[in-house]
Amino acid sequence: DLGRGPDGRWWVLDDRAQAPSGAGYALENRMVLSRAFPNLFNAMNVQRLAPFFSDFRAGLAASAHRSDPRICLLTPGPFSETYFEQAHLARYLGLLLVEGDDLVVRDGQAYIRTIAGLKRADVIWRRVDADFIDPLEMNSASQLGVPGLFEAIRAGGVVVSNMPGSGLIESRALLGFLPALSNHLLGEPLKLPNVATWWCGQPAERRIVEQQINSLAIARAFTGPGHPALARGPRMMSDLTPAEQADLRAAMNLRPLDFVGQEVVRLSTTPAWRDGALQPSPFVLRVYAAATPDGWKIMPGGFCRVSDQRDARAISMGEGAQATDVWVLSDQPVESISLLAHRDNVKVRRIMGHLPSRAADNLFWLGRYLERAEATLRLVRSLSTSLMDSDAALHASGETLCRLQALLIDWGAIDKEAGSRKVTEAACSALHDEAAYGSVVSLIRSARRTASSMRERLSEDFWKLLLNLESRLRNRQNDVLTEAESLARAEAALQTLATLSGLTQENMNRVAGWRFLDMGRRIERGVNTCRIVRQLAGPDATLDDLDLLLDLVDSQITYRSRYLEGIALTPVRDLTILDPFNPRSVAFQVETLKTHLAALPTLQDDGMPEEPSRQLIRLASLVETEDAAALGVPEILTFEQMLMTLSNAVSDRYFLQGSNATPTKKQGGLA
């Protein structure tokens, strides 16, 4: 981190070597600015960032022990404040984004848990602090790391970029020694001076800090937990309460070696556009260096934070700061370079790739949540039309309406109390009640949380649509809606879900990730169809019940064109359960699931079907041989239960957790 003083001199404010953030934000800022002002960007001869990242990726690959290494970016997970950056970098660089649970150590080597078993991890770019990467040897309470990772590092079984221990140079205590170390080891002064720092572990320096304590910034000498008053970085005594000041002084007297005093740097300014005018704003520039096969390379740019406070000091830059792009200009036109540039030596590949088990799990449940939300919205739409004067409306009272509300209660979209209220109140509750686990807003929130764990695998269009849908449904449970308003909201949400479904069907490659997403949808759709048919197509079903059933499973047009005689129980059951040509029927979901499972990898090459395939074969045989005239509620319940059993079998087989990760056999060893 660099700052420029009012006299124009540059100072090193801090060093980041353990899990440095900001490079991804710099890349994102560059993409935005270059697209917003393409003519200006090209005319100014701005040096590209792509060569730096290309060299960095080449450095990661060169550090591995084999020619085609598998490189991972180890992230703390979606709750990290820099997770977006990590997902963006993983996608841009073509790295595998993994969390600690995705990795396992066996015989001194690190492996990734995938749907095809364990696959070797050659290089790990670490974005997790060293204290948390191995609970066996460091912080035992850590849930972010990989047990045994230090063993694999010592055995040479994996290369970790930002090696544990690199955080040493982040210790502010070291800043006080750098000028003398440079002269002693290199015979020359520092290229850039660092902020004057006095380590209180030395008697003379401690006295200086005590004498000037009100004019210096007090900071932790070393990384890791320290005094609570300094948890957010260096602080001035004047910024603390009297109680905090007394507590900090007592801690400094007890263990002075844990503290440093630093000169307070006043930052020069750069023009920033605020409130319709250019205003002077202090800034801090973060620059990056990467080890590459050709030596150290410096990013021709950086991550700049601009403060909205005119008198900002370096110690408070993290508060109220905004980011901006940094341009390094060339005297000559700059060649357009991208990581996607054409290279003749790239080998063509058409493979499914190795999908991590966690990603498969999240994609599977993303599909289930979205399908469940769609089914609930169809119930809400039918409920909203129940009192409207239209041909599609149901009777305003009677068994059909009661069964419709019973479905919403059984699915957790509304409670029994809401079901006894007005229809409009029940519809609003099913849409917006955040306390109901089965309401539409709760299901969409669950889908968004699941999707946030794998943002690198979802397009920006998909993510924006999902966020927009959640924002439209959130904090609206107190709205008073008419039938038309609740219907309009349900219709709008259904249109968004249809768009999301179209994006996944038309834009996602037909690889393992898409298959798990679609498998989740197919299983959920089959289960929901069984539940709806059991509720509305029982032995005592009325014409209204069957008409509503055809609406809910989107089969009205097919039925009307096929059966001119009118609605009858057996044809309705056949169309919704047994018809393999109806994309909403249970039979169609079963056939699609058979295709997906057949395309997924197996752990054993013995020719025997695995448990999910066995479960699906049993279900398919029952569905394919069932007679529509003999099909009743008990048989439909059996189909539903077998679909749930299939879901559990898929989870047990592909979503590996803990010690049950089974290595895959390949030429007698691990791949």
Side-chain angles (χ1 to χ4, degrees):
D1 285 341
L2 304 178
R4 188 177 62 189
D7 58 358
R9 289 195 301 166
W10 288 88
W11 297 82
V12 177
L13 305 178
D14 231 336
D15 293 304
R16 292 285 182 268
Q18 181 164 219
S21 62
Y25 294 120
L27 180 63
E28 183 73 8
N29 289 337
R30 174 60 56 86
M31 290 181 174
V32 171
L33 265 292
S34 62
R35 292 170 182 171
F37 306 104
N39 295 331
L40 176 64
F41 183 80
N42 292 323
M44 294 288 288
N45 297 332
V46 181
Q47 294 190 33
R48 272 36 177 195
L49 299 182
F52 170 81
F53 285 103
S54 179
D55 291 339
F56 170 62
R57 185 172 62 180
L60 293 176
S63 65
H65 302 308
R66 56 178 178 172
S67 59
D68 191 15
R70 191 172 291 117
I71 306 175
C72 307
L73 193 161
L74 179 60
T75 172
F79 295 106
S80 168
E81 60 184 5
T82 59
Y83 180 76
F84 165 79
E85 175 197 31
Q86 295 156 20
H88 181 65
L89 283 173
R91 176 186 295 176
Y92 182 74
L93 296 173
L95 309 182
L96 198 59
L97 188 67
V98 298
E99 298 179 26
D101 287 342
D102 294 324
L103 300 174
V104 64
V105 173
R106 293 284 188 274
D107 301 324
Q109 291 186 327
Y111 296 92
I112 308 164
R113 309 177 198 266
T114 77
I115 61 171
L118 299 183
K119 299 297 180 180
R120 183 174 172 182
D122 300 284
V123 181
I124 297 175
W125 180 17
R126 178 172 65 90
R127 293 298 296 267
V128 176
D129 289 347
D131 289 347
F132 297 92
I133 65 170
D134 188 346
L136 293 183
E137 299 197 31
M138 300 299 290
N139 188 335
S140 60
S142 171
Q143 297 183 5
L144 305 177
V146 186
L149 185 58
F150 274 110
E151 173 194 345
I153 294 173
R154 285 192 292 264
V158 66
V159 176
V160 177
S161 180
N162 297 344
M163 183 67 77
S166 59
L168 171 68
I169 67 170
E170 296 184 359
S171 302
R172 288 186 172 88
L174 191 61
L175 292 175
F177 299 94
L178 286 182
L181 281 172
S182 180
N183 284 317
H184 179 73
L185 297 176
L186 305 178
E188 60 181 74
L190 294 170
K191 298 292 186 183
L192 283 174
N194 59 269
V195 176
T197 304
W198 295 270
W199 179 45
C200 295
Q202 298 171 286
E205 283 71 12
R206 177 185 177 184
R207 287 193 294 271
I208 294 174
V209 173
E210 290 174 343
Q211 293 169 2
Q212 305 179 29
I213 195 167
N214 292 320
S215 60
L216 297 177
I218 307 302
R220 293 178 295 181
F222 307 101
T223 58
H227 194 275
L230 307 179
R232 298 179 61 85
R235 301 290 297 274
M236 296 284 293
M237 279 292 184
S238 58
D239 295 334
L240 303 177
T241 65
E244 289 176 329
Q245 291 182 24
D247 188 49
L248 181 57
R249 288 177 183 270
M252 293 178 66
N253 290 328
L254 182 63
R255 284 182 57 88
L257 56 86
D258 290 339
F259 300 90
V260 298
Q262 290 187 301
E263 180 185 6
V264 178
V265 177
R266 296 285 177 175
L267 299 171
S268 66
T269 61
T270 186
W273 186 261
R274 299 184 190 279
D275 301 325
L278 287 174
Q279 298 182 12
S281 300
F283 70 96
V284 167
L285 175 63
R286 179 170 291 185
V287 296
Y288 300 88
T292 76
D294 299 323
W296 286 91
K297 297 292 182 69
I298 309 299
M299 179 193 291
F303 179 57
C304 183
R305 290 171 292 162
V306 180
S307 176
D308 59 357
Q309 305 174 30
R310 294 190 179 185
D311 60 345
R313 297 162 297 189
I315 61 173
S316 59
M317 270 304 298
E319 302 173 2
Q322 296 179 334
T324 184
D325 193 14
V326 179
W327 288 3
V328 175
L329 307 183
S330 176
D331 297 332
Q332 300 177 351
V334 177
E335 181 183 0
S336 180
I337 302 176
S338 169
L339 289 185
L340 304 179
H342 174 72
R343 291 182 293 176
D344 292 331
N345 61 344
V346 178
K347 183 180 179 181
V348 175
R349 296 179 178 178
R350 295 174 182 170
I351 58 176
M352 292 185 65
H354 298 300
L355 182 68
S357 298
R358 177 183 53 85
D361 192 352
N362 287 327
L363 286 165
F364 181 80
W365 278 101
L366 175 61
R368 292 200 65 171
Y369 285 132
L370 292 177
E371 184 64 30
R372 196 175 300 176
E374 179 184 332
T376 305
L377 281 168
R378 291 179 180 275
L379 292 175
V380 174
R381 181 174 64 180
S382 296
L383 186 65
S384 300
T385 60
S386 61
L387 295 179
M388 297 179 65
D389 185 16
S390 68
D391 293 337
L394 301 171
H395 295 298
S397 60
E399 294 181 356
T400 300
L401 182 60
C402 292
R403 287 171 176 165
L404 181 58
Q405 291 176 309
L407 277 170
L408 288 171
I409 294 173
D410 291 342
W411 291 11
I414 59 176
D415 55 29
K416 292 184 178 180
E417 182 180 351
S420 62
R421 297 173 185 169
K422 295 181 179 178
V423 170
T424 53
E425 294 180 5
C428 183
S429 178
L431 285 172
H432 303 299
D433 188 358
E434 299 183 29
Y437 68 88
S439 67
V440 178
V441 66
S442 296
L443 293 171
I444 295 301
R445 178 182 290 111
S446 297
R448 189 261 304 161
R449 288 174 177 168
T450 303
S452 67
S453 299
M454 49 180 181
R455 287 191 58 172
E456 79 284 3
R457 298 181 180 274
L458 301 173
S459 68
E460 287 299 316
D461 291 334
F462 187 99
W463 184 250
K464 290 176 182 177
L465 282 169
L466 191 58
L467 290 179
N468 181 263
L469 178 57
E470 183 187 9
S471 66
R472 298 203 313 265
L473 295 169
R474 195 174 51 219
N475 299 325
R476 308 297 295 271
Q477 59 263 38
N478 295 325
D479 291 357
V480 179
L481 303 178
T482 64
E483 293 88 346
E485 289 171 336
S486 61
L487 176 62
R489 291 187 182 183
E491 291 281 7
L494 278 170
Q495 291 172 6
T496 301
L497 288 177
T499 304
L500 289 171
S501 178
L503 283 174
T504 59
Q505 293 298 322
E506 298 299 326
N507 293 359
M508 286 186 71
N509 287 338
R510 280 1 185 207
V511 292
W514 171 79
R515 293 191 182 279
F516 277 98
L517 177 64
D518 199 57
M519 283 171 61
R521 297 196 73 127
R522 299 299 173 182
I523 289 179
E524 187 66 32
R525 181 175 295 180
V527 170
N528 293 336
T529 300
C530 288
R531 290 176 176 174
I532 294 171
V533 173
R534 286 197 297 109
Q535 183 71 261
L536 298 174
D540 57 345
T542 65
L543 290 179
D544 281 340
D545 292 340
L546 298 179
D547 188 64
L548 172 60
L549 170 58
L550 292 174
D551 279 337
L552 293 176
V553 296
D554 201 13
S555 299
Q556 281 278 12
I557 295 176
T558 302
Y559 187 91
R560 300 290 182 183
S561 63
R562 186 179 295 179
Y563 300 101
L564 303 180
E565 304 91 331
I567 299 179
L569 180 60
T570 298
V572 168
R573 286 178 175 175
D574 178 75
L575 181 63
T576 56
I577 299 294
L578 303 178
D579 188 349
F581 305 108
N582 179 11
R584 291 279 170 176
S585 73
V586 174
F588 188 92
Q589 315 315 315
V590 171
E591 287 298 315
T592 307
L593 288 168
K594 287 169 63 177
T595 303
H596 289 324
L597 282 181
L600 293 176
T602 58
L603 287 180
Q604 303 295 336
D605 296 328
D606 54 9
M608 299 298 294
E610 296 181 319
E611 184 60 24
S613 296
R614 284 196 291 267
Q615 294 287 348
L616 190 54
I617 291 171
R618 297 189 189 103
L619 174 59
S621 64
L622 290 178
V623 173
E624 292 170 2
T625 58
E626 184 62 56
D627 181 12
L631 180 65
V633 172
E635 289 76 18
I636 298 173
L637 178 60
T638 298
F639 296 161
E640 177 185 335
Q641 293 172 339
M642 293 184 72
L643 282 168
M644 298 298 293
T645 302
L646 173 63
S647 177
N648 293 334
V650 169
S651 177
D652 293 340
R653 160 59 184 88
Y654 294 104
F655 311 150
L656 307 178
Q657 300 292 332
S659 60
N660 64 355
T662 305
T664 181
K665 295 293 182 64
K666 184 176 182 181
Q667 296 179 350
L670 294 171

